[in-house]
Amino acid sequence: MYKTEITLDVNNEQRTVYVRNADLLLDVLREPLGLTGAKPGCLNGDCGTCTIEVDGETMKACLMLAVEAVGKKSQRLKA
Ligand code: FES
């Protein structure tokens, strides 16, 4: 399956990963980046277990594609 190389700014660190266009930010943060602080729960935006901070605003990582996070700063993500 075709993957694109993207670079994400995560916790003030540039991380390069290969993703499919449909990969959720939540899934990419957890694996391959290994940041498991954001948890999968309902996967439809209701429970908030996947909440992260993107450019200073809280976002639900289950509702955001990894490719949408390019050029934004994701913070407060813990392993
Ligand atoms: S997993 Fe429930 S809001 Fe994202």
Side-chain angles (χ1 to χ4, degrees):
M1 188 167 290
Y2 184 74
K3 291 190 173 189
T4 304
E5 180 183 277
I6 62 172
T7 300
L8 300 175
D9 186 323
V10 181
N11 294 336
N12 294 317
E13 196 175 304
Q14 300 294 311
R15 304 285 300 269
T16 298
V17 291
Y18 288 89
V19 301
R20 292 171 295 180
N21 287 342
D23 284 346
L24 296 174
L25 180 58
L26 176 62
D27 294 334
V28 172
L29 291 172
R30 293 180 60 80
E31 191 174 327
L33 294 180
L35 299 167
T36 57
K39 311 278 189 232
C42 64
L43 300 178
N44 64 16
D46 289 334
C47 72
T49 61
C50 66
T51 301
I52 61 171
E53 187 177 304
V54 177
D55 280 351
E57 295 191 25
T58 56
M59 302 287 291
K60 294 180 178 156
C62 72
L63 299 180
M64 187 171 184
L65 298 174
V67 293
E68 293 179 293
V70 173
K72 301 178 192 257
K73 288 181 174 280
S74 301
Q75 306 241 327
R76 296 183 184 171
L77 300 169
K78 298 182 179 169

